Structure formats: structure tokens, C-alpha cells
Amino acid sequence: MMSSPDGFGRFPDDFVWGTATASYQIEGAVSAAGRGASIWDTFSHTPGKVADGHTGDVACDHYHRYAEDVRLMADLGLKAYRFSIAWPRIQPTGAGPVNAEGLGFYDRLVDELLGRGIAPYATLYHWDLPQALEDLGGWTERDTAFRFADYALAVHDRLGDRIRTWTTLNEPWVSAFLGYCSGVHAPGRRSPAAGFRAAHHLLLGHGLAASALRSAGAAELALTLNLGTILGEDEEAVARVDALLNRQFLDPALRGRYPEEVLEIAAGHGGLDHIRDGDLAVINQPIDLLGVNYYCPTTVSRSPGEPANPDYPGTEDIRFVPPTGPVTSMGWPIEPASLETLLVRLSRDYPEVGLLITENGAAFEDGVTDDETGAGRVHDPERIAFLDGHLRAAHAAIAAGADLRGYLVWSLLDNFEWAYGYHKRFGIVYVDFSTQRRLPKDSALWYREVIQRNGLQGE
Ligand code: FCB
């Protein structure tokens, strides 16, 4: 690690330090101010879809407590806050006139952030599609991409004077393949063909929205992908999974083409008719930042006769190897070195785009312990070690030439972790869901010092 004379590893002076959240995971207030239903309302209210029948109806009640939450962010010294905008608050049925009251919430949030010197990073789509659009076919329908661009522009019209950085989509791989192929996420459909169609229309929506926002004067445009290093001895297996997870989105968005492996697999699952002439040029808009959501690597091996992984159509004869080393409470392997590999690779293969880690973090079994003040403490040394290790990897990647501009921890608050409900705690701030009391964990206090120091302690 590069170190300064006082012995502390330092990040670049303008490095962006922050945290991230998403609308459905924290806001609650699902029927406030004319909000329409989203696919996650429907899914979480369908028995058997989410652990213990948890829903986002109340979540962290951030819709009502946003001012307190922003104060907390300021106390932690955050420079940036990534949040997402709930499309069904803006257009309750996914089309037509804007619901001014719904937009008003984000207007107040942005002003509160700016008032405390925190840069707002808005994501336009973090999985809460208006249910009315799903009823028309959702992301398997081409029209949804055009609806998304209209919505994006309407939000930008109101907030573009105060938000510099606009991210179109969060993790389209997850929306498409967990939502439409394996069905473990909303809307819960189970068809590989639907997965590939959804992926393409999400990409098209990204391109249309990016182009519209650019014309409207957006300062900085981003696309956030869940990316991971694929490990294994068998080159063909590694390349196939890398194509499905990483290059299926990187190459259309940044190179204007699909990887051959993806075209071949998609052709065998419903065909390629949904990809029209000119689409790839629309998708391939210049963007300023690639948002990297990184949690863990994936290890694969060749295994003749193995059926395809339900999340990855086309992976017959490939085994997804379970982790053998340390894992988080999600069961995800803890391997910071593979973040360095990923960042260096991205800057090598796509040098024109800056990188921002838009999510990195971990769930562990946290609990409140008594302390002498009576307020309680949450000791989470495993999370501190996780974040420290990944920041060291990020620092090493910068030293090796990666154009990494910032790091946003997932997440500010414990929240609704999709199909796992409230059982998985990713926050650096503990939330008692019965009282809504917030309590910064030890990791939050540690992160505050990292930010103050603009780096890690020691070598
Ligand atoms: C990512 C999501 C985010 C959160 C983390 C743990 O895939 O973008 O909402 O659930 O995983």
C-alpha cells in the first residue's frame, strides 16, 4: 500500500467516500402520497416468496425519517450518498403524468443532503418496477425501455439542477435473471428466454435514458453492474460464466456488441428476435462512470452432466463450486484480492470509463450489547475486517493503475434484504425494526475515521 510520511495509506485527494441504499429496502410508506404498487410489493405479499413473509411496507421508515438519517450521515462524515428513486412514486402506473407529491420526497431529501454537504448520487432503477408495467409484460416487453427513459427524464427535469451524478440501472443481471429466469426475485417469472429478453430491454432502457439525460444536460452518467471475478481452471467454463455475468452487460454498454457466447446461448433459449437493428448503437452511449457492485468471486469447474445453474441459463456441464474458506452470513466467500483483480481488469479492458465502487459490504449476525451509557453498542469486528480488506484491495488496484474514483459501503442501514427479508443485516448502522431506533455499529465509527484520514491505518 502507498503510504504517506505519517505511515497511513492514503487515497487520492478527491476520492469519494459514502454509503448506498435503495428505495424499496428502506423507505416504507408504500401508499404515501399517491405511490403506486411495485413488483416488490406484489412479490413480498405473495406467500412463500420472502423469508417469514417480510415485506417493505415499513422497512426503515426512511420516508418519514430521512432528515434524521441524513443527520446521521453527516455525523459519520460521509461525502456522498447513493439512493434510488422509486419509479411508482413518480409515475404510479409507470406512464403518464408525474406525481408531484411523490417527486417532492426526493426533492426534500436532496435539499437535506446538499444542506449538509453530502453529494446526492441518484439511481433511477433499483428493481421496483411499477406493477402496472409488469402487468403489460414488464421488462420482457420492449416498450418498458421507452417508458423508463420517459420517467428518467421527468425526474431529471425536477432534480437535475441539484444532482450531478445519475445512474440509470442497478444490476440489470439481477433484475433479468433472478427476476425473470430463476424467479427468486420479483416478479418471480421462470423462463430463460424471458431472462435474456429482459436483459436486452434493460440495456435498451439504459441507452435511451442515458442519451435523453445527456441531451438534458446531466453532468455525469453511470451504469451500475454486479461484477465479479470468475475463478477456475477450465478456461471455457470461466469464459462462459464471465460472458453471462459480466460481459453480457459490459460489452453492449461500452463496446456496442454482445459476447458471442451470450448470443449463442440466447439463440437457443427463445431466439434473438428481440434484438433489433440499431439497438446496440443506442445501448452503447458514452458514460462517465461504471458503478461496480462487488461482493465475492464465483468459482466454477467443468462437470459433465451437471444441469445449468437456474440463474445462469446455458451453464450445462459447469459446476458452481461452493466456498471452502471464510464466508459472510449470506454464505458468500470473503476474498478481497479478487476485487483488485476485477478493478484492474476493468480499467485495462474499458479504460475510457472511470470506476466507482457503488456497493461493497457484508452481512453478519449483529446484536446490541449493553454498555455503561445505556445506549448499547454493536461490536462488528468481522464487518470492519471485511471493509478494511476490501479497501486495501481497492487501494492496491489504484496503485496498479485502476481509475477508481470512490467507494460506497452497502449499506448505511440494516434493511429489507430482498428474498431474505430483515434477516440479513448489511448496515454500518444498526436498525431496531420494532422501534426504528438507529445505532451506529463499531464499523460506522471506524468508517468515520477512515474518511477523516482519507485512508487506512498502518500498512
Ligand atoms: C446487491 C443489491 C443491493 C443489496 C446487496 C446486498 O445485489 O444491489 O440492493 O441487496 O446486493
Side-chain angles (χ1 to χ4, degrees):
M1 160 169 297
M2 268 189 297
S3 55
S4 58
D6 57 4
F8 295 136
R10 287 281 189 274
F11 281 75
D13 283 345
D14 50 0
F15 198 74
V16 178
W17 296 101
T19 58
T21 63
S23 47
Y24 190 72
Q25 296 182 274
I26 64 164
E27 286 178 1
V30 288
S31 31
R35 177 187 179 276
S38 80
I39 55 175
W40 270 98
D41 295 293
T42 310
F43 191 77
S44 65
H45 281 272
T46 306
K49 299 296 186 192
V50 174
D52 289 334
H54 290 172
T55 74
D57 288 2
V58 179
C60 307
D61 196 31
H62 170 77
Y63 183 86
H64 297 113
R65 295 169 194 264
Y66 72 94
E68 173 192 346
D69 291 338
V70 174
R71 208 177 316 128
L72 199 57
M73 295 178 214
D75 289 345
L76 295 179
L78 303 187
K79 311 281 184 234
Y81 173 56
R82 171 179 183 248
F83 60 98
S84 80
I85 293 170
W87 186 350
R89 288 198 194 281
I90 312 303
Q91 288 176 308
T93 60
V98 160
N99 171 27
E101 255 195 291
L103 249 179
F105 167 65
Y106 300 102
D107 203 70
R108 296 191 292 279
L109 171 65
V110 167
D111 284 345
E112 197 72 28
L113 289 164
L114 292 172
R116 292 189 180 269
I118 300 169
Y121 279 59
T123 299
L124 287 156
Y125 186 71
H126 199 129
W127 309 350
D128 37 7
L129 184 72
Q131 179 62 41
L133 289 184
E134 178 57 26
D135 295 342
L136 299 172
W139 286 110
T140 62
E141 279 302 310
R142 188 175 173 87
D143 191 53
T144 302
F146 292 86
R147 299 283 68 75
F148 175 65
D150 287 354
Y151 146 73
L153 203 52
V155 178
H156 181 271
D157 275 353
R158 173 78 174 265
L159 302 176
D161 57 338
R162 283 157 291 153
I163 298 181
R164 270 185 57 74
T165 309
W166 292 87
T167 299
T168 54
L169 306 175
N170 177 70
E171 302 190 354
W173 180 86
V174 173
S175 299
F177 291 96
L178 301 195
Y180 290 85
C181 181
S182 64
V184 298
H185 275 193
R189 285 160 68 177
R190 294 200 175 147
S191 147
F196 286 109
R197 285 177 70 89
H200 182 69
H201 296 143
L202 280 153
L203 281 165
L204 186 63
H206 157 73
L208 292 165
S211 143
L213 294 187
R214 181 75 77 195
S215 307
E220 208 166 46
L221 289 172
L223 168 66
T224 282
L225 303 176
N226 52 304
L227 299 167
T229 301
I230 315 300
L231 305 171
E233 305 280 305
D234 188 279
E235 276 179 36
E236 191 280 328
V238 167
R240 204 178 340 154
V241 175
D242 183 58
L244 287 163
L245 178 67
N246 299 319
R247 285 179 286 121
Q248 177 167 200
F249 298 90
L250 289 166
D251 286 359
L254 299 170
R255 291 291 171 266
R257 58 168 188 260
Y258 273 110
E260 281 310 315
E261 297 99 321
V262 169
L263 290 175
E264 210 173 290
I265 295 168
H269 289 96
L272 299 173
D273 290 354
H274 57 284
I275 306 176
R276 302 215 185 140
D277 281 354
D279 282 2
L280 282 154
V282 173
I283 293 168
N284 181 207
Q285 294 300 316
I287 54 172
D288 306 287
L289 287 174
L290 176 65
V292 178
N293 288 358
Y294 172 82
Y295 289 93
C296 59
T298 300
T299 303
V300 297
S301 66
R302 172 150 313 266
S303 171
E306 190 88 24
N309 179 319
D311 297 337
Y312 293 85
T315 53
E316 288 80 5
D317 303 326
I318 294 180
R319 174 160 180 262
F320 285 69
V321 182
T324 48
V327 294
T328 69
S329 76
M330 298 294 282
W332 296 346
I334 303 176
E335 294 192 31
S338 102
L339 173 62
E340 179 185 345
T341 312
L342 175 68
L343 295 170
V344 169
R345 170 217 178 160
L346 292 170
S347 271
R348 183 198 62 211
D349 292 353
Y350 309 96
E352 74 283 4
V353 70
L355 305 175
L356 176 68
I357 295 178
T358 38
E359 290 182 25
N360 176 239
F364 291 107
E365 311 291 333
D366 303 314
V368 181
T369 53
D370 292 337
D371 71 349
E372 58 290 349
T373 69
R377 293 281 300 269
V378 179
H379 299 302
D380 58 345
E382 292 163 301
R383 183 171 292 99
I384 294 176
F386 182 98
L387 297 174
D388 181 87
H390 286 77
L391 280 170
R392 281 171 203 277
H395 194 279
I398 296 173
D403 182 8
L404 179 67
R405 315 265 175 94
Y407 180 90
L408 310 179
V409 174
W410 184 270
S411 180
L412 175 70
L413 303 169
D414 291 336
N415 61 45
F416 175 79
E417 178 48 36
W418 309 113
Y420 297 88
Y422 297 98
H423 292 296
K424 303 294 177 195
R425 293 182 175 271
F426 273 92
I428 56 171
V429 174
Y430 186 89
V431 177
D432 177 337
F433 292 104
S434 61
T435 60
Q436 291 297 346
R437 193 167 78 97
R438 276 75 162 134
L439 181 62
K441 302 178 190 175
D442 287 355
S443 57
L445 308 177
W446 170 87
Y447 193 45
R448 172 164 62 190
E449 285 175 17
V450 171
I451 298 173
Q452 264 169 11
R453 208 190 281 134
N454 198 36
L456 298 161
Q457 199 160 15
E459 290 303 299

